[in-house]
Amino acid sequence: MLYRTAGQFKTSYQADQALFPVRQDAVLLGVVLLFAWVIFPLTASEFAFQTLLIPILIYSLAALGLNLLTGYAGQLSLGTAAFMGVGAYACYKLVTLMPWLNPVVAILFSGAFSAGVGVAFGIPSLRIKGFYLAIATLAAQFFLVWLFEKWGWLYNYNASGAIQVPNLEMFGVYVAGPQAASVVQYFVVLAVVTLLTLVCINLTRGNLGRSWKATRDMDIAAELIGINLMRSKLTAFAISSYMVGVAGALFVFMWRGAAEPNLFDIPLSFRILFIAIIGGLGSILGNYLGAILIVGLPVLLNTLPEALGLPISSATVEHLNIMIVGSLIVFFLIIEPHGLARLWALIREKLIIWPFPH
């Protein structure tokens, strides 16, 4: 009943290819944006901002970048965390070398450095693919983390080897650093993630997105019909690395406040990969659903037993989290390879034809 499409006629090709072919989809998105932009900032606590809202948005953006490369273009990557580190260190150098630079501009510009590094490590994709390409990106992961540790210029030769986010102002308000309020940081992250998500939606629906999908499905056939594989693969690496680099800058400047090189090690790459797999490869919505599950599950496991009066140690909670996430990955790979996004699509189809079974 809620998704009834009676009376919604398509009278042109433009209407048939619209972003929201069903009016209820636009209404549902409007409700989500209302909660994100108005209700959550007015009602959420400091704990909710720091443990749920901000990390969900940052992880969603990182998974979105990975999904463009793996889900849409079919190029496996295990070096996502390292490219996040490139964005974070690039942003740190920008704000320390040019203190007058707008922080949001610095965050957005830091993705360009990550894109350049991504293209450099994406060149092997022109000759190798599959697991061999995954190993090549894994090499990038180890090399870049080693570089973060050994090249002192990146962290201004700090004795601790870590980068510390300074207090950054924008229009007289602190947006990063120890004096920045969580709600301000949330708005900055939300604005950047909303903008880049809109860009990704348009990219995947356009000519570039169709060339990525053709390359993913069968690259030889794609080349035979005139698609430039070099351009298709390298643009996928560039745009994906840009998104991931911006996510890395947000990760440090709007959430963690400081970072050491091992923060961008292989476990973070796998965590983002798990978000993409559980959410659904080749989907924009799936990145958000996967991030909500991966970020929200540990919080739920920590707070629910305490609310029910069950004595469970933090070590047990951590083990339960790993077991549940691992089980979910196996479940989705076997039962529903397209993840949570496909489950939502099935629910939506049932709602459209309800009360009829098919």
Side-chain angles (χ1 to χ4, degrees):
M1 181 184 296
L2 295 176
Y3 257 90
R4 186 165 295 172
T5 58
Q8 299 185 35
F9 303 110
K10 309 294 188 302
T11 58
S12 65
Y13 287 114
Q14 184 178 1
D16 192 52
Q17 297 295 322
L19 182 59
F20 301 108
V22 179
R23 189 180 303 120
Q24 287 87 337
D25 289 335
V27 174
L28 181 60
L29 178 61
V31 172
V32 171
L33 291 176
L34 177 66
F35 270 88
W37 282 96
V38 179
I39 296 178
F40 287 154
L42 293 176
T43 59
S45 63
E46 182 79 10
F47 175 80
F49 280 123
Q50 292 298 324
T51 60
L52 285 172
L53 297 176
I54 294 177
I56 282 174
L57 290 173
I58 294 173
Y59 279 124
S60 298
L61 182 60
L64 178 58
L66 177 62
N67 225 330
L68 290 179
L69 182 63
T70 303
Y72 283 94
Q75 309 300 304
L76 296 178
S77 175
L78 296 177
T80 309
F83 297 126
M84 289 180 69
V86 173
Y89 279 90
C91 189
Y92 177 72
K93 293 303 296 184
L94 286 173
V95 300
T96 52
L97 293 175
M98 296 179 283
W100 46 265
L101 188 63
N102 187 295
V104 175
V105 174
I107 289 172
L108 293 174
F109 190 59
S110 64
F113 296 92
S114 183
V117 175
V119 169
F121 284 101
I123 291 175
S125 69
L126 304 177
R127 299 297 299 270
I128 59 178
K129 57 184 177 180
F131 291 109
Y132 299 100
L133 179 60
I135 297 301
T137 59
L138 190 61
Q141 169 73 50
F142 292 128
F143 171 74
L144 289 173
V145 172
W146 173 85
L147 190 66
F148 299 154
E149 293 178 353
K150 302 301 181 182
W151 194 7
W153 179 80
L154 289 176
Y155 50 85
N156 289 343
Y157 302 98
N158 192 338
S160 65
I163 56 175
Q164 187 75 33
V165 178
N167 289 310
L168 301 176
E169 287 187 35
M170 189 171 69
F171 305 117
V173 179
Y174 286 107
V175 297
Q179 298 185 24
S182 294
V183 64
V184 176
Q185 293 176 315
Y186 169 75
F187 274 122
V188 173
V189 173
L190 182 60
V192 172
V193 172
T194 302
L195 173 65
L196 294 184
T197 302
L198 184 62
V199 171
C200 289
I201 290 173
N202 284 282
L203 284 175
T204 55
R205 285 165 50 87
N207 293 333
L208 188 57
R210 286 190 286 272
S211 69
W212 287 344
K213 294 173 188 175
T215 304
R216 173 196 65 193
D217 294 339
M218 187 174 291
D219 54 354
I220 296 177
E223 190 171 21
L224 287 174
I225 63 174
I227 292 176
N228 187 330
L229 290 186
M230 183 180 72
R231 176 179 176 272
S232 177
K233 292 181 179 181
L234 292 186
T235 52
F237 268 98
I239 296 174
S240 168
S241 300
Y242 177 84
M243 300 291 177
V244 170
V246 172
L250 293 173
F251 184 71
V252 173
F253 277 72
M254 296 297 157
W255 184 33
R256 301 302 293 256
E260 295 181 350
N262 59 9
L263 180 64
F264 304 104
D265 219 337
I266 193 70
L268 181 58
S269 291
F270 279 118
R271 183 168 195 175
I272 296 167
L273 180 62
F274 296 159
I275 291 174
I277 291 174
I278 292 175
L281 293 173
S283 165
I284 300 292
L285 174 63
N287 303 296
Y288 292 92
L289 299 179
I292 290 171
L293 181 62
I294 295 297
V295 175
L297 183 61
V299 178
L300 182 64
L301 291 176
N302 274 302
T303 56
L304 189 59
E306 189 176 323
L308 297 176
L310 300 175
I312 298 180
S313 65
S314 58
T316 304
V317 169
E318 182 66 25
H319 294 156
L320 285 173
N321 180 46
I322 295 173
M323 292 168 60
I324 292 173
V325 170
S327 302
L328 287 173
I329 292 171
V330 174
F331 170 80
F332 281 110
L333 287 176
I334 296 174
I335 305 299
E336 184 49 77
H338 296 290
L340 293 171
R342 179 58 183 165
L343 293 181
W344 163 245
L346 292 174
I347 294 171
R348 178 178 173 276
E349 291 173 7
K350 295 295 183 183
L351 290 174
I352 288 177
I353 62 175
W354 187 86
F356 304 105
H358 54 76

